[in-house]
Amino acid sequence: MSWWPVALAGLGALAFSARYHWWRSRQSGAPVLMYHQIVQELDSTPLPKLRVPPQAFARQLGTLAQRGFKVMSLSQALEAEPGDRVAALTFDDAFQDFADNAWPLIKARGMGATVFVVTSQIGGSNVWDQGKGIPSVPLLDAEQIKELAAQGVEFGGHGHQHRDLTSLSPGELAQDLAACQETLSGLLGKPARGFAYPYGLFNDGVKQAVARAGFSAACSTRPGMLAADTDSLAIPRIIVKRSDQALDFALKLSRTKSRW
Ligand SMILES: [Zn+2]
């Protein structure tokens, strides 16, 4: 009897396990998925992981539907009945490609989503990324935001200037968050509920300031599920990357991570 087929199978299984963490235990709760851009082009960005191609995004929505998830905005997910199989879609930075490439696919499936806006740059671009070799990308303008809101998209805050909120003085922090909420309320005709911390950075002081500015649900970038005992000002999310294959995405929906 030859040993090598067994050894090869063993090595193959090890390699598979190292790439795909199928052995992670399932986690209960709702996945809150985090996206940035839905675009095919890379335009030499140093952050290709944050650009998911439209075809891959469409397949991911199909996977969610096949698996019986009701896919909705963050606020709707927070109000879902316990036991409902729910997933939320979130988009940071409010890039124009949300309107062009993401929303038509989401809307066609009757799903919902939340978009987090950098309020000083409505109709502008990702100026906070400049100087890092990241290409300039246009952001949703006021008319687009109003139109999308009328179609059911939830909009939340992502800071007025996309600054690291943990680096600001208490005065600067309060000012940035007040400007963010005022701008959104003015545009939407009601206070925005959701917030996403720029760069995922926050501490207790930042959380309190976000709540004082009228936001009651804030998203981090820490991996995990939205569950009944989740701190609503530190909601974990699952980052969906350009490199994610179908198996990565499926594993993330139940285990929050597919690999390290
Ligand atoms: Zn951002």
Short mmCIF file of all heavy atoms in Angstrom, two decimals, residues 22 29 47 80 129 183 190-191 216:
data_model
loop_
_atom_site.label_atom_id
_atom_site.label_comp_id
_atom_site.label_asym_id
_atom_site.label_seq_id
_atom_site.Cartn_x
_atom_site.Cartn_y
_atom_site.Cartn_z
N TRP A 22 -12.99 27.23 8.03
CA TRP A 22 -14.30 26.58 8.13
C TRP A 22 -14.51 26.04 9.53
O TRP A 22 -15.63 25.79 9.95
CB TRP A 22 -14.40 25.42 7.11
CG TRP A 22 -13.23 24.49 7.21
CD1 TRP A 22 -12.07 24.58 6.51
CD2 TRP A 22 -13.07 23.39 8.09
NE1 TRP A 22 -11.20 23.60 6.88
CE2 TRP A 22 -11.78 22.85 7.85
CE3 TRP A 22 -13.90 22.79 9.05
CZ2 TRP A 22 -11.30 21.74 8.54
CZ3 TRP A 22 -13.41 21.69 9.74
CH2 TRP A 22 -12.12 21.18 9.48
N GLY A 29 -26.59 35.71 15.61
CA GLY A 29 -26.80 37.13 15.39
C GLY A 29 -26.83 37.45 13.91
O GLY A 29 -26.72 36.56 13.07
N LEU A 47 -5.54 50.40 -2.04
CA LEU A 47 -6.51 49.68 -1.21
C LEU A 47 -7.49 48.89 -2.08
O LEU A 47 -8.70 49.12 -2.02
CB LEU A 47 -7.29 50.67 -0.33
CG LEU A 47 -6.50 51.35 0.79
CD1 LEU A 47 -7.35 52.43 1.46
CD2 LEU A 47 -6.07 50.31 1.83
N ALA A 80 -35.53 44.37 13.89
CA ALA A 80 -36.04 43.06 13.47
C ALA A 80 -36.49 42.24 14.68
O ALA A 80 -36.00 42.45 15.79
CB ALA A 80 -34.97 42.32 12.69
N ASP A 129 -8.43 61.08 1.85
CA ASP A 129 -7.51 60.04 1.36
C ASP A 129 -6.34 60.63 0.59
O ASP A 129 -5.41 59.90 0.24
CB ASP A 129 -8.24 59.09 0.39
CG ASP A 129 -9.10 58.06 1.12
OD1 ASP A 129 -8.79 57.76 2.29
OD2 ASP A 129 -10.05 57.56 0.51
N THR A 183 -26.14 68.66 9.12
CA THR A 183 -26.16 68.59 7.66
C THR A 183 -27.11 67.48 7.20
O THR A 183 -27.92 67.68 6.29
CB THR A 183 -24.73 68.31 7.12
OG1 THR A 183 -23.84 69.28 7.67
CG2 THR A 183 -24.69 68.37 5.61
N LYS A 190 -35.10 64.82 8.93
CA LYS A 190 -35.22 64.16 10.24
C LYS A 190 -33.81 63.78 10.68
O LYS A 190 -32.91 63.61 9.83
CB LYS A 190 -36.11 62.92 10.15
CG LYS A 190 -35.60 61.90 9.15
CD LYS A 190 -36.39 60.61 9.19
CE LYS A 190 -35.69 59.62 8.26
NZ LYS A 190 -36.35 58.42 7.99
N PRO A 191 -33.58 63.64 11.99
CA PRO A 191 -32.23 63.30 12.44
C PRO A 191 -31.79 61.93 11.93
O PRO A 191 -32.61 61.02 11.79
CB PRO A 191 -32.35 63.29 13.98
CG PRO A 191 -33.64 63.96 14.29
CD PRO A 191 -34.53 63.80 13.10
N SER A 216 -27.91 57.09 17.49
CA SER A 216 -28.14 56.06 18.51
C SER A 216 -27.62 54.68 18.11
O SER A 216 -27.73 53.73 18.87
CB SER A 216 -29.64 55.97 18.83
OG SER A 216 -30.37 55.67 17.67
#
